Amino acid sequence: MTKRGMEAKDLFELKSVANPQLSPDGKKILFVETSIDQEKNSYISNLFMKALAENTSATQWTFGKHRNHSPKWSPAGDRIAFISNRTGSNQIFVMSEKGGEAMQLTFFENGVGNFIWSPNGEEIAFSISLKPDQTIQTAPKQEKKKEEKDKELTALVVEEMKYKSDGEGFWNGTYKQIATVDIKTGELGQLTSGKSDYYLQSWSPDGKYIAVTGDLNEERDNSFLTDVFLLDVETEELNKITNSDGYFGNVTWSPNGRYLAMAGSNREFENATLSRIWIYDLETETHSCLTAEWDVMIGDNTIGDFQQGTVDPGVLWAKDNHHFYFLATDHGNTSLYYGNLDGEIYPALLEDQHVYGVAFDGKDQAVVAISKPTEPSDMYSLKITTGETVKLTSVNDKALEDISLSPVESFYFESEGGLSVQGWLMYPANFNPEEKYPLILEVHGGPHAMYGNSYMHEFQMLAGQGNVVLFTNPRGSHGYGQEFVNAVRGDYGGNDYNDLMNAVDFALEKFSFIDPERLGVTGGSYGGFMTNWIVGHTDCFKAAVTQRSISNWISFYGVSDIGYYFTEWQIQSDLSDIEKLWKHSPLAYVNQIKTPLLILHGEKDYRCPIEQAEQLFIALKRQKKVTKFLRFPEANHELSRSGNPKLRLERLTAIKDWFNQYI
């Protein structure tokens, strides 16, 4: 029987599993499974548990149509804490590892954020947003029955440039603080206060300190640093251990408490700087960068549009206090690596895949969350010494029974300056080498991100419609070293454009089944900018879809939540040089656009505000060009990845229909 290709609506049948957590004895695993409730048009997340030694399915541990996520084992392994929005906002709950009713620990009107267990298992530290005149005791408590209250209209007073952010909206005057709650008594404590944001990292093994990060610079608008602090739990004193010269996070303690590992950089190339592993020795009070000579990005920078609730745990220490494991992004893969204090680095799990989560028992057992182009999301156990993996879940097998997932072929081609660039070609569903197929070029956002060997629902849907899908990592992408990722800065629309067009030329020459007269292009964010740029500089594409795009760097400078500094970092210009900003703006070339262009944008996108789309649409319509504009209500920059499910489906359907109509 011939299977059908992937359809947009299949998104509603697929499940994502993420955030593996091994029990302290290494025998059980917790993870989060997320699906979509079509009736309520919402996401559902629940905890699942599985004994690694048993050949049985995972057992569902929480229930209901809510978001239950971020599980963490107690140090003794007898309890599980997690976050749930079942009462209307995110609160911390604790339950026995044997199951049963979960006990609610926090009761705040606006909810809480990240949390960690104390080493003795008696307290939990958590993040909460408070106004300067509020304390943990006076913060508004959650009402048992939340009623709609009339909001009094009042002016928003703005005195800082960083007054809004995509996803969170306008700043409400609160700062992220660190607080604690006693498991038995419910007694609350507050460890930080003031007009700075503190981000919870990890608790020292002896219980004396909590590692936190933050930027204490009073002039926040022009500060882009994050320091690491040791917060004394008893005295509440902060001791800064970094030098206010970079950005650091994912801080973890060695089991003996002597070392702190962190990921970060000194921002030599602004936001294009590779993140590296740093070690702070508390005995000698010295820093060392263990990966200074390794031209690889630490962490997971692979782009996807499917996984929900992914967590990069940072450096995972072994019990010997000397070696550790971590994720890194390299040549289309996010892989698991081994490292030690001597600076040795080796791959621990190196295949063509996307490892988007990992847990480690400190000895020889790990669990990894893996995605591949034809495998959306599953958990695997990993024996460190042998590299042997065993699949623990098959959450999408039933949904994919009648669907043909399209394989990909990786290749490299030579671009401008002799640069080697990686690309992939996804074959159309039910491929017949004797037929001719249209091709759609996909351009990723960032620009400092990476396409790779991961599941992409949009790609599979387009392949399911009988299209060849071409995706590549032009200069500016992560995964190919510091010089490569930095090469796009100051050159938007230059050699990055040449890389993309050379990828198309290479594919047309290598794959004879592509119809050169039926080409399409699409992308979002930076990929939207590049889609706009491409159709303003070539007529070879028969249709284009630009998503959450940038069209005008002059206005972007003032309207985006990151506009002024991102423009200065990336275009390397500001409002003192309007000519340069306009030169790099796709809107400047709108007279040359002949390609039918569909414009997709979220109404509440503060990263690339919708006025960018409005300008482009009006300019095109004024010249009677073929275009259409879809405005997605309440949607922000994350629409394609974690947005309203029905709007995600509407977006995918619009992309499919536009290409079907014009190519």
Short mmCIF file of all heavy atoms in Angstrom, two decimals, residues 5 21 110 114 136 155 164 276 351 400 424 430 482 516:
data_model
loop_
_atom_site.label_atom_id
_atom_site.label_comp_id
_atom_site.label_asym_id
_atom_site.label_seq_id
_atom_site.Cartn_x
_atom_site.Cartn_y
_atom_site.Cartn_z
N GLY A 5 1.70 11.38 1.85
CA GLY A 5 2.67 12.32 2.38
C GLY A 5 2.14 13.04 3.61
O GLY A 5 0.95 13.02 3.91
N GLN A 21 14.84 13.29 32.77
CA GLN A 21 15.38 13.45 34.12
C GLN A 21 15.59 12.07 34.72
O GLN A 21 14.63 11.33 34.94
CB GLN A 21 14.42 14.26 35.00
CG GLN A 21 14.16 15.67 34.52
CD GLN A 21 15.33 16.59 34.77
OE1 GLN A 21 15.98 16.54 35.82
NE2 GLN A 21 15.62 17.45 33.79
N ASN A 110 0.69 35.65 39.90
CA ASN A 110 1.38 35.68 38.61
C ASN A 110 2.28 34.47 38.38
O ASN A 110 3.02 34.42 37.41
CB ASN A 110 2.19 36.97 38.48
CG ASN A 110 1.30 38.19 38.49
OD1 ASN A 110 0.20 38.18 37.92
ND2 ASN A 110 1.74 39.25 39.16
N ASN A 114 11.51 29.16 37.04
CA ASN A 114 12.40 28.01 37.25
C ASN A 114 12.56 27.71 38.74
O ASN A 114 12.43 28.59 39.58
CB ASN A 114 13.76 28.33 36.61
CG ASN A 114 14.74 27.19 36.73
OD1 ASN A 114 14.34 26.03 36.69
ND2 ASN A 114 16.01 27.51 36.89
N ILE A 136 8.25 38.72 48.92
CA ILE A 136 7.64 37.42 48.70
C ILE A 136 6.39 37.25 49.57
O ILE A 136 5.46 36.54 49.20
CB ILE A 136 8.67 36.28 48.97
CG1 ILE A 136 8.16 34.96 48.41
CG2 ILE A 136 8.99 36.17 50.44
CD1 ILE A 136 8.12 34.90 46.92
N ALA A 155 -2.02 55.12 31.05
CA ALA A 155 -0.88 55.26 30.14
C ALA A 155 0.28 54.39 30.61
O ALA A 155 0.52 54.22 31.80
CB ALA A 155 -0.44 56.72 30.08
N LYS A 164 10.06 46.41 26.30
CA LYS A 164 9.18 45.37 25.80
C LYS A 164 10.04 44.19 25.33
O LYS A 164 11.24 44.34 25.07
CB LYS A 164 8.32 45.88 24.64
CG LYS A 164 9.12 46.33 23.42
CD LYS A 164 8.21 46.87 22.33
CE LYS A 164 9.01 47.37 21.14
NZ LYS A 164 8.16 47.90 20.06
N ARG A 276 31.43 28.92 24.87
CA ARG A 276 32.45 27.94 25.24
C ARG A 276 32.23 27.46 26.67
O ARG A 276 31.42 28.03 27.41
CB ARG A 276 33.84 28.53 25.08
CG ARG A 276 34.09 29.07 23.67
CD ARG A 276 35.54 29.48 23.45
NE ARG A 276 35.74 30.10 22.15
CZ ARG A 276 35.89 29.44 21.00
NH1 ARG A 276 35.85 28.12 21.02
NH2 ARG A 276 36.08 30.08 19.86
N GLU A 351 26.22 11.07 15.71
CA GLU A 351 25.52 10.55 14.54
C GLU A 351 24.79 11.71 13.86
O GLU A 351 24.76 12.82 14.38
CB GLU A 351 24.53 9.45 14.95
CG GLU A 351 25.18 8.21 15.54
CD GLU A 351 24.17 7.14 15.89
OE1 GLU A 351 23.07 7.16 15.30
OE2 GLU A 351 24.48 6.28 16.73
N LEU A 400 2.09 7.84 12.59
CA LEU A 400 2.84 7.80 11.33
C LEU A 400 2.64 6.50 10.54
O LEU A 400 3.30 6.31 9.52
CB LEU A 400 4.34 7.98 11.64
CG LEU A 400 4.73 9.33 12.26
CD1 LEU A 400 6.20 9.32 12.65
CD2 LEU A 400 4.44 10.47 11.31
N TRP A 424 21.06 20.41 2.49
CA TRP A 424 20.30 19.16 2.48
C TRP A 424 19.21 19.26 1.43
O TRP A 424 18.66 20.35 1.19
CB TRP A 424 19.63 18.90 3.82
CG TRP A 424 20.53 18.56 4.95
CD1 TRP A 424 20.84 17.32 5.43
CD2 TRP A 424 21.24 19.49 5.78
NE1 TRP A 424 21.69 17.42 6.50
CE2 TRP A 424 21.96 18.73 6.74
CE3 TRP A 424 21.34 20.87 5.81
CZ2 TRP A 424 22.76 19.33 7.71
CZ3 TRP A 424 22.15 21.47 6.76
CH2 TRP A 424 22.84 20.70 7.70
N ASN A 430 6.77 9.81 -1.96
CA ASN A 430 6.58 8.83 -3.03
C ASN A 430 7.37 9.20 -4.29
O ASN A 430 6.85 9.24 -5.41
CB ASN A 430 5.09 8.68 -3.36
CG ASN A 430 4.28 8.26 -2.14
OD1 ASN A 430 4.65 7.30 -1.46
ND2 ASN A 430 3.21 8.97 -1.85
N GLN A 482 33.92 29.89 14.33
CA GLN A 482 33.74 31.30 14.64
C GLN A 482 33.79 32.21 13.41
O GLN A 482 32.99 33.12 13.26
CB GLN A 482 34.80 31.74 15.65
CG GLN A 482 34.66 33.17 16.11
CD GLN A 482 33.36 33.45 16.82
OE1 GLN A 482 33.22 33.14 18.00
NE2 GLN A 482 32.39 34.04 16.13
N PRO A 516 13.64 23.36 -13.11
CA PRO A 516 14.22 24.70 -12.89
C PRO A 516 13.23 25.84 -13.12
O PRO A 516 13.50 26.98 -12.75
CB PRO A 516 15.37 24.76 -13.90
CG PRO A 516 15.00 23.79 -14.96
CD PRO A 516 14.25 22.69 -14.27
#
